[in-house]
Amino acid sequence: MTVSFLDLRAPYVELKDELDSAVARVLESGWFLLGEELSAFEREFAAYTGTQHCVGVGNGLDALRLCLSARGIGPGDEVIVPSNTYIATWLAVSQVGAKLVPVEPNERTYNIDPEKIEAAITSRTRAIIPVHLYGQPAEMAPILTLARQYGLFVLEDAAQAQGARYLGRSVGGLGDAAAWSFYPGKNLGAFGDGGAITTNDAALAGQLRTLRNYGSTVKYVHEVQGGNSRLDELQAAVLRVKLRSLDEWNGRRQRIAQQYCEDLLDLGLELPFVPEGMDPVWHLFVVRSPNRDALQAQLAACGIQTLIHYPTPPHLQGAYRELGWKQGRFPIAERFHEEVLSLPIGPHLGLDQVQAVVDAVSRSSARSARV
Ligand SMILES: *Cc1c(COP(=O)(O)O)cnc(C)c1O
């Protein structure tokens, strides 16, 4: 049996009739941007996340960047980010001209370590961007306490965590604002690019609506130099359909994760750790092994496709060469990048496929002890 990492066609097959009619409805309407589908999706996604406002934008990176811009964060300001994240979190900060201040992750959750944040705060710090990495909420309570104490803007990077809950509350309404991505492979994915911001701050939501549309709310009146980053009607219509299945799909991911956690116990791998009060949505199921590359090769030989999230930490990417951060600067993030391996997981992965993954890991000689 071969097991691919993620099947992006299966959600369409499952919801074909509803998705076809949603797409047809938009095509028939002849209205493709900033219309009723977007307004409806914004209402529905705000309700889903328990927030007052949702603003659809072109992608997750823009969602992050526009929030920072709207708050006037730019050159001379510092923004605290996790050293262990997808590069988009960092790019949003560097694109507005602010200074990146990376903070290392907790060794067990992979998320930013709240105990290391205070030491990184200076008089120039304006914001913190906790990332709910792999679909598990960051430890928000201590982060919010620090933010209140120092007057910092908290922007959740919720790109990987649609539906995740923290102490019973949906992520996306915990900080001052949250950025979402609807990249096709995310738990709630469009048929192309898409993104959104959720917030309870009406003034911020208003600014974002202006910034995403040429600095304009009234046609041909431009109060500020905005950009062009809109969630289009086709994607909004598709997302409305898929949103109705999100909880069920996250539930399937949860069952697979539980299966992995039971069956892979005692095999020498570092398994995901879920702290009390967290309800992750298993965007990724990430294990760690000192023999990661050999394990990945052996699984590939058994027909199991795995991925690495991520092979190189942002500070060692060519994109940030000019900052001069060398190997050894963020050692926890660096070690994670050498050891992490993402096993297949998704709402359309069959239990027989999960079993095939478990069998292949069990047979692998690379799973434990250093070779
Ligand atoms: C996917 C992702 C983004 C960016 O989303 P795009 O829609 O691809 O721009 C940002 N942050 C994290 C953590 C992500 O995983």
Side-chain angles (χ1 to χ4, degrees):
M1 179 186 298
T2 63
V3 181
S4 62
F5 185 75
L6 180 65
D7 183 349
L8 284 177
R9 192 172 161 268
Y12 173 59
V13 173
E14 180 178 332
L15 301 176
K16 186 174 189 315
D17 291 348
E18 280 177 87
L19 288 165
D20 283 349
S21 65
V23 168
R25 187 173 71 230
V26 174
L27 298 185
E28 295 283 350
S29 79
W31 190 280
F32 301 109
L33 286 169
L34 301 177
E36 284 171 18
E37 297 292 341
L38 177 61
S39 301
F41 173 71
E42 289 177 337
R43 270 195 312 278
E44 290 160 10
F45 197 62
Y48 180 81
T49 56
T51 55
Q52 283 163 26
H53 309 280
C54 172
V55 181
V57 295
N59 55 68
L61 173 58
D62 282 353
L64 288 163
R65 184 177 55 80
L66 292 174
C67 282
L68 297 175
S69 290
R71 289 301 293 244
I73 294 170
D77 297 326
E78 295 180 2
V79 178
I80 293 174
V81 295
S83 58
N84 183 47
T85 183
Y86 179 58
I87 196 168
T89 318
W90 283 42
L91 288 171
V93 176
S94 38
Q95 286 183 359
V96 299
K99 183 180 165 195
L100 289 156
V101 180
V103 167
E104 287 267 73
N106 175 284
E107 302 251 6
R108 296 183 73 197
T109 65
Y110 305 113
N111 277 325
I112 192 166
D113 188 339
E115 292 182 10
K116 298 194 180 113
I117 292 176
E118 193 162 19
I121 297 174
T122 74
S123 59
R124 292 171 182 268
T125 310
R126 296 284 311 279
I128 306 179
I129 311 183
V131 180
H132 307 305
L133 197 68
Y134 307 151
Q136 168 147 288
E139 243 187 283
M140 292 300 289
I143 294 172
L144 293 169
T145 304
L146 277 174
R148 256 178 249 119
Q149 198 178 329
Y150 290 93
L152 308 177
F153 177 63
V154 177
L155 172 57
E156 298 171 66
D157 182 340
Q160 302 190 356
Q162 292 91 352
R165 302 180 81 80
Y166 175 82
L167 304 178
R169 287 176 56 200
S170 177
V171 303
L174 304 168
D176 296 302
W180 303 89
S181 164
F182 307 121
Y183 176 79
K186 305 282 155 109
N187 289 37
L188 178 61
F191 291 161
D193 276 316
I197 298 108
T198 51
T199 181
N200 291 316
D201 181 337
L204 178 65
Q207 284 174 299
L208 291 165
R209 283 182 204 288
T210 308
L211 287 175
R212 75 174 171 187
N213 188 36
Y214 293 112
S216 169
T217 43
V218 176
K219 208 168 174 66
Y220 305 129
V221 179
H222 305 272
E223 289 300 332
V224 293
Q225 294 178 20
N228 175 3
S229 184
R230 302 173 294 215
L231 181 64
D232 67 65
E233 292 288 283
L234 277 171
Q235 301 305 339
V238 163
L239 288 167
R240 292 180 68 196
V241 173
K242 291 176 98 184
L243 180 59
R244 298 198 282 269
S245 292
L246 180 58
D247 285 343
E248 188 194 327
W249 288 353
N250 282 341
R252 292 187 211 163
R253 288 175 185 268
Q254 165 68 28
R255 281 191 288 284
I256 293 166
Q258 201 172 336
Q259 189 85 41
Y260 277 147
C261 285
E262 286 167 16
D263 294 352
L264 298 177
L265 201 66
D266 301 326
L267 289 182
L269 295 174
E270 184 80 29
L271 296 177
F273 168 69
V274 181
E276 199 69 32
M278 307 275 185
D279 291 308
V281 287
W282 304 103
H283 175 58
L284 297 170
F285 188 92
V286 175
V287 299
R288 248 161 68 212
S289 163
N291 311 313
R292 190 266 315 276
D293 293 342
L295 176 61
Q296 184 176 40
Q298 289 178 359
L299 293 180
C302 299
I304 313 288
Q305 187 192 11
T306 58
L307 293 177
I308 294 167
H309 297 92
Y310 299 88
T312 306
H315 70 280
L316 298 179
Q317 295 282 359
Y320 289 110
R321 198 177 292 119
E322 65 191 33
L323 296 181
W325 280 325
K326 298 283 183 309
Q327 183 85 27
R329 181 67 184 77
F330 299 106
I332 302 176
E334 288 165 18
R335 182 158 46 80
F336 287 170
H337 287 73
E338 282 165 14
E339 296 185 348
V340 292
L341 186 68
S342 304
L343 302 182
I345 194 165
H348 300 90
L349 192 69
L351 288 180
D352 53 338
Q353 293 179 299
V354 175
Q355 192 57 51
V357 175
V358 169
D359 291 344
V361 174
S362 309
R363 282 198 307 272
S364 162
S365 60
R367 61 181 154 77
S368 57
R370 285 172 192 277
V371 284

